[in-house]
Amino acid sequence: MESCPAKTVIAGGMGFALGGAFGLFMSSMSYDTPLSAQGQQMADLPMREQLRRGFKDMGTRSYSSAKNFALVGAIFSGTECCIEGFRAKNDLYNGIAAGCLTGGALGAKAGPQAAAIGCAGFAAFSAAIDAYMRMPSDE
């Protein structure tokens, strides 16, 4: 597939699905003990209300994670595809540049230092994953 908009939409959709599953799993693992103030309030409620609030919280957290994963996937994939088209090369540097731009864009709201750290972090992670995926197989 060579279409950058299609790659962006597919990456965003897959990120949304993966983020939703991840968020559902992580929210199901969080719990409030009866020793905390919020946990004590929950323990005093009827079981049906506890379940309703728990499922509502799981849905809210799952949707939040899904949106975040979709945003990261779409920005990274679209940026990498545009860089690859501009450079007319498919190499490790496309992913590093896309990772830097993605991390910088996501960290920009928090200021220039956060954008720089986001750029470096996403670029390093992208370089590590791309280097691993490009390793020759042992077959």
Side-chain angles (χ1 to χ4, degrees):
M1 174 168 299
E2 298 297 322
S3 170
C4 288
K7 284 183 180 181
T8 302
V9 169
I10 289 171
M14 295 301 288
F16 189 86
L18 180 65
F22 181 75
L24 185 65
F25 175 74
M26 293 305 289
S27 67
S28 70
M29 293 296 147
S30 75
Y31 59 90
D32 291 319
T33 64
L35 302 176
S36 70
Q38 185 179 7
Q40 187 60 42
Q41 291 172 351
M42 286 290 286
D44 293 339
L45 295 173
M47 181 62 76
R48 183 179 292 253
E49 181 64 18
Q50 288 180 25
L51 288 172
R52 188 187 73 75
R53 287 188 183 186
F55 284 132
K56 184 176 181 181
D57 183 54
M58 286 172 63
T60 302
R61 290 185 187 189
S62 179
Y63 183 65
S64 176
S65 290
K67 288 190 305 184
N68 290 334
F69 273 62
L71 182 66
V72 170
I75 291 174
F76 180 82
S77 179
T79 306
E80 184 182 35
C81 185
C82 289
I83 291 171
E84 184 177 323
F86 181 73
R87 293 184 66 227
K89 291 181 182 178
N90 184 1
D91 59 7
L92 190 66
Y93 299 112
N94 295 339
I96 293 171
C100 180
L101 288 172
T102 302
L106 294 174
K109 288 182 183 177
Q113 184 179 6
I117 291 171
C119 171
F122 267 79
F125 183 72
S126 179
I129 296 298
D130 269 355
Y132 177 75
M133 295 301 287
R134 292 176 187 269
M135 286 176 41
S137 63
D138 293 337
E139 295 177 7

